[in-house]
Amino acid sequence: MSLVRLNIKGISYSQTQNGAYALILSEVDGERKLPIVIGAFEAQSIAIALEKEIKPPRPLTHDLFKNFADRFTIKVKQVIIHKLVDGVFYSSIICERDEIEEIVDARTSDAIALALRFQAPIFTYKNILDQAGIYLKVNPKKEDEDSDVENFLVDELVAEDIEPEAKETSYKDLSIEELNKMLDQAVHSEDYELAARIRDEISKRE
């Protein structure tokens, strides 16, 4: 299976669902976006890693892991989002120490937070992008305005410590046709967090 490299496009949050965030990944040589729902702590950690000028007074969990790895000469070479099951993404961190390569299982949000700190590339398999990727029709002017992902939501995420609240939305009574219509509307309005949840529900039924 061929690997597709991904870049971080930004972080989106839901105006109606407190504590819900969507990490938006974009394929390097294509137009598809891969939204992944993450928690508030992970969103904050990723945003801080994107904003190079922000230095927390004490190391965050992912910073601690980076310091630990550096001390023991462990290098993160790459992160691979290798599986999608029932709307949940599974990832692996490819590490190396003394020229010996190891594969470590990780939550996707943690893996990406670490990839940023190690400046390691992020990949997924083509079949996962085919299954879960979303095409977005972007206004060229708006694309230019949004190109600086480092400043996207950083102020909001760093300004306060947000406790995520679990809130489930049930789509079980909706048909596939209704879900696809809702997905189109969510993508059109750029509500990526909602689009990711609807896409995951569709994936469960297929």
Side-chain angles (χ1 to χ4, degrees):
M1 291 184 290
S2 59
L3 287 172
V4 179
R5 185 163 181 176
L6 303 170
N7 284 334
I8 296 177
K9 177 65 178 176
I11 302 172
S12 175
Y13 63 90
S14 171
Q15 298 285 350
T16 59
Q17 195 165 357
N18 188 26
Y21 291 82
L23 174 66
I24 313 301
L25 302 176
S26 176
E27 63 177 326
V28 171
D29 297 319
E31 300 178 355
R32 288 175 293 184
K33 305 294 185 292
L34 190 66
I36 300 176
V37 177
I38 62 176
F41 171 78
E42 291 78 12
Q44 184 184 59
S45 181
I46 290 170
I48 287 174
L50 287 170
E51 181 51 75
K52 306 299 183 183
E53 296 181 1
I54 295 178
K55 300 293 182 184
R58 301 295 295 162
L60 299 177
T61 302
H62 299 111
D63 297 319
L64 176 61
F65 183 97
K66 173 66 162 59
N67 295 339
F68 183 91
D70 288 344
R71 182 67 59 90
F72 292 95
T73 62
I74 300 170
K75 179 182 178 182
V76 171
K77 296 179 63 178
Q78 63 184 10
V79 163
I80 301 177
I81 303 171
H82 63 85
K83 186 168 64 173
L84 173 61
V85 178
D86 293 334
V88 178
F89 291 91
Y90 293 79
S91 294
S92 295
I93 302 173
I94 313 302
C95 305
E96 184 180 78
R97 182 171 184 264
D98 296 334
E99 298 185 354
I100 298 175
E101 191 172 278
E102 299 286 352
I103 301 175
V104 180
D105 182 45
R107 295 188 307 169
T108 298
S109 55
D110 290 328
I112 291 174
L114 291 174
L116 284 170
R117 285 163 170 81
F118 284 88
Q119 298 183 344
I122 302 166
F123 296 93
T124 191
Y125 288 110
K126 183 179 180 297
N127 66 316
I128 292 178
L129 200 55
D130 290 341
Q131 180 182 352
I134 296 174
Y135 283 98
L136 299 180
K137 295 180 180 179
V138 181
N139 184 308
K141 182 178 179 181
K142 184 173 179 56
E143 177 75 7
D144 293 339
E145 293 171 353
D146 291 345
S147 60
D148 188 5
V149 299
E150 285 82 0
N151 293 323
F152 193 53
L153 269 188
V154 169
D155 291 339
E156 291 88 341
L157 287 165
V158 174
E160 56 184 332
D161 184 16
I162 305 173
E163 291 291 338
E165 295 180 5
K167 183 177 180 182
E168 292 294 330
T169 302
S170 176
Y171 301 109
K172 64 181 181 179
D173 295 330
L174 300 177
S175 66
I176 290 291
E177 182 179 341
E178 290 171 323
L179 289 171
N180 281 314
K181 185 176 181 180
M182 288 178 62
L183 177 61
D184 291 340
Q185 292 172 345
V187 170
H188 180 73
S189 63
E190 298 186 5
D191 188 343
Y192 304 127
E193 181 269 337
L194 177 60
R197 291 184 180 277
I198 296 172
R199 178 211 60 208
D200 293 345
E201 176 64 24
I202 293 173
S203 296
K204 290 179 185 178
R205 301 188 188 185
E206 292 179 345

